[in-house]
Amino acid sequence: VVHDDAVRAWRSVLLAQNRALRAIERDLSQAGVIQLQHYDVLLELNSAPGRQLRMQELALRTVVSRTRVSRIVADLEDDGLVERITDPSDGRAALARITAAGRAALRRAAPVYLSGIEQHFNRYLTPSQREAVAGALEGVAAALGEQIDPRR
Amino acid sequence: VVHDDAVRAWRSVLLAQNRALRAIERDLSQAGVIQLQHYDVLLELNSAPGRQLRMQELALRTVVSRTRVSRIVADLEDDGLVERITDPSDGRAALARITAAGRAALRRAAPVYLSGIEQHFNRYLTPSQREAVAGALEGVAAALGEQIDPRR
DNA sequence: CAAGATTGAGTCATCAATCTTA
DNA sequence: TAAGATTGATGACTCAATCTTG
């Protein structure tokens, strides 16, 4: 069997994330707030300098693929939650900037999302387990973040 | 900002899994072996009693949704990697049984997958970090596994 | 009617091709 | 010609409706 020690950690990540994510997305949908990927994008924009980022940067900071960012920002723009602006310093680049309505949507979704994380994830971990998981996997994410193919 | 301690662990799981998974799937694709979900299904079948499982069981044990299992088993059947059998003890239930060709496909994919886990995940963790992650997230997966809606 | 499973239709995500500016 | 980004087409995934057996 391949269920040995070399894959236990990886498999636990797959299973836990998959199940918690499904539960959290169900909560968001039932509460009628924005979906997770939209939340993720708005959150990064909201904490960025000038409340804006390039498409590239958004893909690097979120779990959204580069081409998917274009579709999501287009949807968010249709809903009035972001504005799309051509970068004045480089005409090729596009900036997304969160609007007041976008920040409001973020504020409405935040409690639902936070409570989902609590109910479907944190609740099953001790504080020291949370700390250990964060420390370990932030390292993995950082290491992989530096070698990502920007054309993906 | 919502990037506080309550979400650090969760966010690290999202980012690490997302990035490692993309890298591993790229490896599998480049090596020309079966994709991850197919591997996942075949692996569970291979270690099950009689090398067979109900569709329900497959969904519970893998990261594949209940309805998605039907499509994947259909694909695997077309490729000759599993057989689909009506459960003799309950005519409503379908069993998938891995074939010799299925086991061969599993053997071809295993080294690629294991090496992907090593290169894109384990390598960035110490043995004790792997142990901590596995212990923590297996608990989460188990807790959530017991309350899954089988209709999903 | 409920349980197990599959399927049609629609949405989501991705790749390769394309457009625009540097 | 390359970099940044978008888009058309295709494949993956999901929900609700359906089929079949208990």
Side-chain angles (χ1 to χ4, degrees), chain A residues 61-141:
Chain A
R61 300 187 188 205
T62 62
V63 296
V64 178
S65 77
R66 176 63 197 79
T67 58
R68 184 72 187 130
V69 165
S70 288
R71 317 272 187 184
I72 289 178
V73 168
D75 290 347
L76 290 171
E77 192 178 26
D78 288 345
D79 295 342
L81 305 185
V82 307
E83 313 175 280
R84 203 201 302 250
I85 307 155
T86 300
D87 187 336
S89 71
D90 184 341
R92 295 171 302 181
L95 298 169
R97 176 151 52 193
I98 190 169
T99 65
R103 303 186 69 193
L106 208 46
R107 278 196 300 275
R108 275 194 304 279
V112 181
Y113 187 40
L114 293 176
S115 137
I117 293 171
E118 185 58 37
Q119 290 304 307
H120 305 298
F121 187 77
N122 282 344
R123 155 187 199 206
Y124 303 112
L125 298 172
T126 66
S128 79
Q129 282 182 313
R130 283 204 288 278
E131 179 62 31
V133 167
L137 298 187
E138 280 170 357
V140 174

Side-chain angles (χ1 to χ4, degrees), chain B residues 130-149:
Chain B
R130 282 204 289 277
E131 179 63 30
V133 168
L137 297 188
E138 280 170 358
V140 174
L144 294 174
E146 286 166 8
Q147 55 177 51
I148 277 183
D149 179 351

